[in-house]
Amino acid sequence: MSTSIQHIVHPRGDDKSFLSSGGKSGMAISIAFTSLATIFVFARVYTRAGIMKRMESNDYMVMIALAFSYVFMAFYIIEALNGMGMHGADIPPPILLKQMKAFWITIPFYNAALLCAKASILLQYFRVFPTRRMRLITWVMLGILGIYGSWAVLSGFLNCIPVAKFWDKTLEGYCLDEKGLWFSNASMHITTDLVILIIPIPALSKLDLPKRQKIALITVFALGGFVCITSICRLVALKKISDSTDPTFDNVGAASWSAIECNVGIICACLPTLRPLVSRIVPHLLSTLSSRNRSYGNRRFSHGRPPTYWGGGAGIGTVSTTITAMDDLEFGSHCADSDRVLTLVPEADIHGKEKLVLKETKCMEDAAERVRATAGSSISP
């Protein structure tokens, strides 16, 4: 055994819990990213419940994802305190048993946390882009997540029959092929990350917005690409541990990237919802950035408001307003009870092409009626 590798050993009570340098760094990474995800989820809940006075299924789903992430972190810490990052030969059997039991329970909760974060993003798409095509795509993706997610979680719990064979290979029974299971789940996570990243781009590209603002809006949604990067890094780490002859020593990298991946997924699910909070904390920042793009043709909007389309075409009897801010997508206006939907308006632009606009009912209709009445009274003799 090489003497250059030093381990930090901390006695705890009658039993000795072994915290190696690798386990210590991995534990710090897990705590740091879980704490960061917690901050973003709390910011999202405050934005939705406190500022916008509206909580929806996608908000509750990301809260469930955070709860699963906490369970993952708790058992990750148990792993770290029981020899993760140490050579297997240096770990007493009772300590190794604790580590393997903790490792067993982290697998399904990692999958559950990541899957709930993805479901939150898809439910957000479902509400923000309720066109028929987008809803169909979203339902299909939710179905895929439900099927493969159920398999990922159940196969994590029931990797071996009996379950105890996972940490005691001497027992009679059957275990799934670990390499095949790890790599198939990792590939599915990467694939679904990419699909979720691509889904909103066609809809966002059709928005009737200035080019800079459209790019900024797409960028907000594209931040989910960070999850793809962490998923790929985790896949590389899985390759290392799958080829390892000393898995307790080499598991730190894969476990750390698992902690990063599920928490980054939660953070990315929260990012598109936080514009109203940022606007409240730093009111001049976003107004300054958006004021550069408030032009339509060669005209400026009156009082910084976008142009509206009254009537527009057959069957369109409500006001359709172009989206000019992320909080419009997230119910950021004062019309808290309005039913906002994105819809394609036939032959709405100067080229005769369909245009995706934000269509509002009830609250905006009432406001439009008041504007018409005011305008009529002001020009009447």
Side-chain angles (χ1 to χ4, degrees), residues 270-283:
C270 293
L271 285 175
T273 69
L274 299 181
R275 179 181 168 113
L277 179 61
V278 176
S279 298
R280 174 165 292 191
I281 296 174
V282 194

Side-chain angles (χ1 to χ4, degrees), residues 6 48 76 92 96 101 116 120 127 138 191 296 300 315 339:
Q6 297 180 351
R48 303 289 288 169
Y76 187 105
L96 182 60
K101 286 183 177 181
C116 286
S120 175
R127 189 63 184 88
T138 303
T191 302
Y296 185 71
R300 291 280 176 181
D339 184 17

Side-chain angles (χ1 to χ4, degrees), residues 21 37 52 85 143 183 227:
S21 56
M52 300 168 65
F183 286 108
V227 185

Side-chain angles (χ1 to χ4, degrees), residues 6 18 25 27 90 118 123 128 136 146 176 188 200 203 217 219 225 246 248 252-253 272 281 331 366:
Q6 297 180 351
F18 298 87
S25 63
M27 186 170 64
D90 296 339
K118 294 180 184 185
L123 289 171
V128 172
L136 177 60
L176 296 172
M188 281 298 296
L217 193 57
T219 301
D246 194 357
T248 60
V252 175
I281 296 174
F331 309 97
D366 294 342

Side-chain angles (χ1 to χ4, degrees), residues 134-153:
M134 284 295 292
R135 285 195 163 180
L136 177 60
I137 294 173
T138 303
W139 273 121
V140 170
M141 281 304 300
L142 284 170
I144 292 173
L145 277 185
I147 294 171
Y148 113 78
S150 298
W151 160 254
V153 172

